Amino acid sequence: MVRTVPYGSWPSPITAADVAAGGHPVESGRFVGDGVYWSEMRPAEGGRSAIRTGPAEDPTDVLPAPWNARTRVHEYGGGAWTVAADGTVVFVEFSDQRVYALGGPFGSSRSPRPLTPRPDVASGIRYGDLHVHGNKVWCVRETHGKRIVRDICVVPLDGSGRADPSRITAVVGGSDFIAFPRLSPNGSRIAWIAWDHPQMPWDGTELRCGTLDADGRCTDWRTVAGGVEESILQPEWVSDDELFFLSDRSGFWNLHRSNAFEGSATAVATVERDTGGPLWRLGAHWYSLLDNGKCLTVDTFGTDTLSVRDVDTGESDTFDLGDISVLELVDTVGDKALLRCGGARTPTGLRILDLTSRELSDVRMSAEQLPDTAYLPAAQQITFNGPNRDVHTVVYPPTNPDFAGPDGELPPYVAFVHGGPTAHVVPAINLVYAYFTSRGIGIVDVNYGGSTGYGREYRNRLRGQWGVVDVEDTIAAVRGLVDAGLADPARLAIEGGSAGGWTVLSALTGSDVFACGASYYGVAELERFAAETHDFESRYLDGLIGPLPQAVELYRTRAPVNNVHKLSCPVLLLQGLSDPIVPPSQAERFRDAMVRKGIPHAYLAYPGEAHGLRKLANQISSREAELSFYGQVLGFETPGIPPLKLWVPPEV
């Protein structure tokens, strides 16, 4: 029998512990011999990234604990491990950022051996985007000193570079940022992507190609494609002279081909879908060249699709993968593709697609088990009308087969705002969302202007408008729900992390639409943020707000911490104390301003956590605190949830 219980107070079988303990997000993978190796984040092991293999129900660690395969290049990492043809596992250890090797002809024990020297400053030299060619590891190197220098380097697999740094070859540098080092088939040429401050890789990059001398260095190179208004991604050699790459010169990232030194580029196909995305992490792939001369591509407009494209005619054949809406191309071999994928009813995880039979088989899911599907919300893609523009969203309504809300009562809704802000959300099973929706709290996930997945024009809507367009679009989404009679206008909340946290704080200090908000490691102030954040994003604000010092007044007027005098609702702040991207000072300045204004709030600080909560206990406490916070402010009971203590101004 369905019982009538106020929205937000529905008893749910999905606990915060289930959400945290049941999850181990699969991060990457590759084919190794007849099997698959993959990396997954282990919350129960302090958030380490483990490399594993074997049957999904009983996997084994290829890389034993406590080793942690995770790189800090650009702080977001990527390409932290690879496997050589002989089975040697090469990886970056998170604690010291050195490159290590496990197994292979140079190592007889099960203990990893370092390939790079110990830097003078802890984690002062970092490596990412690892690739093994022969007996050498090619990678991006990031050296921290008085200034940060990045280059492509080659590390010997025999370990000789550990004691003799001169054995590590500096191949090429010459720009602030480097990605996608690619060696030609005969090993005589190299291609890579480069960009400089204040560009971000989705703004404009250059494809560079050069010839290697006898010492393996590239002293002569040229720019083949790209510029400040053209984003180039993922170069791949098809011969010693010809390259494929992705370019958004048409308004969407499309596949192109070019002679490496003539510089003439032609589109394989021009379609209004993105084959490409924001390069937050190194090592990303959006296409793969197949043995039959065709190309496997992930194409995006709102949701992802997988296609085989004929590179001569541009024609494509799209796979029917059911409800799968998010796809990451991880590896290919022969007629098999390794995908990280999921959908609104399909769990996210690592799967093998047989390109001939078109059958999918599971390798490893990102959650041990899922709740009964009756407790999982049905994702609905809804486009709302914003200020003279469309706003794309995914709506997850309250869902619990055992309970219904009282007649005449509308449910509370939380607007989730993704980070980046250059990022993208799609319909997918999300246990965090189910944690709320199964209790009678609706979720709307907003792809505000500036999000990827809809072409360059949509992405560029946020140029100079951060704190304006993102806020307006999120408000348009929740007002659309209210106008449709789906949400209680008095019980709207907003939640986001990092750049999403900025939108939370901007919306709360710039409007009266929301009754409360939760900011996970959100940006609150701009001038000091630009000086304190890490190098990769240190000039990001040039495009989002404007360059300094010319735009200093905009920095001050847009910063939420300077607008707390207009804040009238409670706020929950959650912050990792070791966060190098959004330092704790951001949350603490906002907290102090709320104390001065007398705004009820809570500030939860997590020692040892960086940009995102990876530890099991912290994942549990943060979600329970968030639910308790919503219950206290929005007016519903939260049975079984530890109460969050809010700071309230002392009585006069």
Side-chain angles (χ1 to χ4, degrees):
M1 177 180 288
V2 176
R3 293 170 52 199
T4 299
V5 174
Y7 288 108
S9 298
W10 297 351
S12 170
I14 305 172
T15 68
D18 294 331
V19 174
H24 42 249
V26 176
E27 298 171 320
S28 61
R30 65 177 295 123
F31 290 111
V32 180
D34 295 328
V36 174
Y37 287 8
W38 69 85
S39 63
E40 63 182 62
M41 195 266 279
R42 306 288 297 170
E45 299 176 35
R48 85 175 179 106
S49 291
I51 301 176
R52 317 190 84 193
T53 191
E57 64 275 9
D58 188 27
T60 59
D61 281 354
V62 175
L63 185 65
W67 294 93
N68 186 355
R70 184 177 164 206
T71 171
R72 289 183 58 189
V73 173
H74 298 174
E75 295 298 350
Y76 292 102
W81 65 280
T82 189
V83 183
D86 61 13
T88 303
V89 177
V90 183
F91 68 97
V92 177
E93 161 57 31
F94 180 70
S95 61
D96 62 10
Q97 291 296 291
R98 298 168 74 188
V99 180
Y100 288 77
L102 178 63
F106 302 107
S108 57
S109 72
R110 290 294 299 166
S111 179
R113 51 192 172 81
L115 302 184
T116 56
R118 187 183 304 276
D120 295 334
V121 177
S123 300
I125 304 178
R126 307 169 184 181
Y127 306 83
D129 210 349
L130 307 185
H131 298 268
V132 174
H133 295 277
N135 61 356
K136 296 178 180 179
V137 185
W138 292 70
C139 52
V140 173
R141 177 172 57 180
E142 181 179 277
T143 303
H144 290 245
K146 292 183 178 179
R147 56 184 292 266
I148 297 175
V149 176
R150 297 177 181 88
D151 63 359
I152 298 170
C153 74
V154 177
V155 179
L157 259 178
D158 62 8
S160 58
R162 176 186 62 182
D164 183 4
S166 68
R167 299 276 297 172
I168 298 175
T169 304
V171 178
V172 69
S175 59
D176 292 330
F177 300 97
I178 285 175
F180 296 110
R182 295 291 189 268
L183 198 63
S184 66
N186 68 6
S188 67
R189 292 172 173 173
I190 187 172
W192 71 99
I193 299 298
W195 69 98
D196 293 304
H197 284 306
Q199 299 298 110
M200 298 300 286
W202 41 86
D203 295 327
T205 60
E206 293 183 1
L207 169 59
R208 296 177 179 175
C209 296
T211 301
L212 300 173
D213 63 20
D215 296 322
R217 293 179 170 84
C218 178
T219 57
D220 183 24
W221 54 265
R222 59 166 294 173
T223 295
V224 176
V228 296
E229 289 293 335
E230 180 183 2
S231 174
I232 306 292
L233 297 169
Q234 196 190 338
E236 305 288 354
W237 295 91
V238 291
S239 70
D240 292 318
D241 298 311
E242 189 178 23
L243 282 162
F244 279 62
F245 61 91
L246 301 172
S247 167
D248 70 349
R249 60 180 62 180
S250 70
F252 291 83
W253 277 300
N254 286 169
L255 186 63
H256 289 68
R257 65 197 306 171
S258 174
N259 182 284
F261 291 93
E262 289 180 359
S264 56
T266 58
V268 171
T270 301
V271 295
E272 291 189 347
R273 299 181 67 87
D274 275 325
T275 304
L279 188 65
W280 285 106
R281 291 168 54 86
L282 298 175
H285 290 80
W286 295 274
Y287 72 94
S288 181
L289 301 172
L290 302 176
D291 293 344
N292 61 8
K294 295 186 178 181
C295 188
L296 190 65
T297 65
V298 175
D299 307 314
T300 306
F301 191 90
T303 56
D304 297 337
T305 56
L306 187 73
S307 302
V308 172
R309 178 161 281 117
D310 187 309
V311 298
D312 294 319
T313 66
E315 295 179 353
S316 64
D317 178 16
T318 300
F319 290 84
D320 181 0
L321 299 178
D323 80 328
I324 285 177
S325 56
V326 57
L327 281 158
E328 180 183 340
L329 185 55
V330 178
D331 196 9
T332 55
V333 61
D335 63 350
K336 291 181 172 59
L338 190 60
L339 308 173
R340 184 178 177 272
C341 58
R345 289 289 175 180
T346 303
T348 298
L350 205 60
R351 296 179 170 88
I352 294 175
L353 174 65
D354 187 306
L355 300 177
T356 302
S357 68
R358 304 200 168 202
E359 293 183 354
L360 273 174
S361 57
D362 294 348
V363 176
R364 176 67 165 170
M365 298 301 98
S366 288
E368 288 292 346
Q369 60 184 20
L370 292 175
D372 187 313
T373 55
Y375 295 94
L376 299 178
Q380 304 169 10
Q381 293 189 79
I382 301 178
T383 299
F384 293 102
N385 294 320
N388 301 312
R389 57 181 179 266
D390 291 339
V391 179
H392 300 293
T393 74
V394 185
V395 177
Y396 301 85
T399 304
N400 188 315
D402 305 318
F403 298 95
D407 289 342
E409 180 181 329
L410 291 172
Y413 257 81
V414 182
F416 270 64
V417 186
H418 67 67
T422 311
H424 179 224
V425 294
V426 298
I429 293 175
N430 187 317
L431 291 186
V432 171
Y433 295 175
Y435 176 72
F436 292 110
T437 58
S438 62
R439 288 171 166 79
I441 305 167
I443 300 292
V444 56
D445 217 352
V446 186
N447 275 319
Y448 51 85
S451 302
T452 49
Y454 301 96
R456 189 174 184 109
E457 185 277 330
Y458 199 88
R459 199 164 77 235
N460 284 350
R461 289 181 184 180
L462 210 58
R463 282 194 172 182
Q465 296 297 306
W466 194 38
V468 178
V469 164
D470 49 326
V471 171
E472 291 176 347
D473 287 2
T474 304
I475 290 174
V478 295
R479 282 182 171 161
L481 289 169
V482 169
D483 292 343
L486 300 174
D488 185 343
R491 296 194 293 171
L492 300 173
I494 182 171
E495 190 257 43
S498 190
W502 154 275
T503 304
V504 168
L505 301 179
S506 297
L508 295 179
T509 56
S511 77
D512 60 0
V513 173
F514 299 98
C516 63
S519 169
Y520 284 75
Y521 37 91
V523 178
E525 186 273 347
L526 294 176
E527 290 175 86
R528 292 182 184 177
F529 172 74
E532 294 172 346
T533 192
H534 64 132
D535 184 56
F536 179 68
E537 293 183 80
S538 63
R539 299 290 300 279
Y540 196 6
L541 298 182
D542 283 37
L544 293 174
I545 305 289
L548 287 173
Q550 300 95 314
V552 66
E553 287 306 314
L554 269 181
Y555 279 54
R556 293 169 181 168
T557 57
R558 294 253 186 102
V561 74
N562 296 332
N563 293 311
V564 172
H565 62 281
K566 295 187 287 185
L567 179 66
S568 59
C569 66
V571 180
L572 171 61
L573 302 172
L574 306 100
Q575 178 69 47
L577 292 181
S578 298
D579 191 341
I581 296 171
V582 180
S585 57
Q586 289 284 310
E588 290 161 3
R589 290 180 188 123
F590 199 85
R591 174 205 59 192
D592 294 345
M594 286 193 293
V595 170
R596 291 191 295 269
K597 175 76 187 300
I599 298 292
H601 67 274
Y603 173 50
L604 302 182
Y606 294 95
E609 292 281 19
H611 200 60
L613 304 181
R614 296 175 68 93
K615 299 177 182 178
L616 181 66
N618 296 339
Q619 292 182 358
I620 294 172
S621 74
S622 63
R623 288 305 169 193
E624 290 185 336
E626 188 179 349
L627 179 58
S628 174
F629 174 69
Y630 294 148
Q632 292 180 54
V633 178
L634 303 181
F636 53 80
E637 299 294 325
T638 54
I641 301 299
L644 172 69
K645 182 175 177 57
L646 293 180
W647 179 92
V648 295
E651 294 183 7
V652 179

